[in-house]
Amino acid sequence: MILLVGRGATMPERYLLVRWPGGPEQRIYSPSTVVEDYFRAGQKLPIADFVRRSHEALTIASDRVEAAYGFPCNRAARSMAEIAEFAAVHRDGDVTIEGIEA
């Protein structure tokens, strides 16, 4: 899916599909393909590493939106908040990257 932003411009959306320890799944929105530089399908990461990487990738993605359109991406900020909520509940184990969807 492509996000349409003002005057016909587009941003290449991606969704990161993850599984937290114990089974809960999460679909994480990114307004940019930058998540493809940080994650790959089948990858397993300790929770702290996943939180760090996702925060870095989503910050870059939001910064790209701001550079292009003059405002940061609220949905990327929401994704970061949702990741923090999951991480607070699931403190131990690995997060599995199930895939990345366009």
Side-chain angles (χ1 to χ4, degrees):
M1 177 180 277
I2 301 290
L3 171 67
L4 297 177
V5 182
R7 299 188 187 92
T10 61
M11 292 294 295
E13 294 181 322
R14 294 294 184 266
Y15 290 89
L16 186 63
L17 309 173
V18 303
R19 181 176 307 275
W20 289 84
E25 296 179 353
Q26 184 180 20
R27 187 171 187 242
I28 300 164
Y29 172 81
S30 171
S32 168
T33 59
V34 71
V35 293
E36 295 171 350
D37 296 336
Y38 286 79
F39 304 104
R40 69 184 188 298
Q43 187 176 27
K44 292 187 180 205
L45 298 164
I47 291 172
D49 190 28
F50 172 74
V51 170
R52 181 190 58 76
R53 286 179 184 223
S54 60
H55 186 270
E56 186 173 326
L58 291 168
T59 298
I60 291 168
S62 183
D63 289 348
R64 287 180 180 179
V65 170
E66 186 168 20
Y69 306 108
F71 54 88
C73 180
N74 289 335
R75 287 183 68 190
R78 188 175 329 130
S79 290
M80 286 188 270
E82 290 170 355
I83 290 166
E85 288 175 15
F86 270 78
V89 173
H90 306 280
R91 297 176 186 261
D92 297 317
D94 293 334
V95 175
T96 302
I97 310 304
E98 299 286 332
I100 299 173
E101 295 179 340

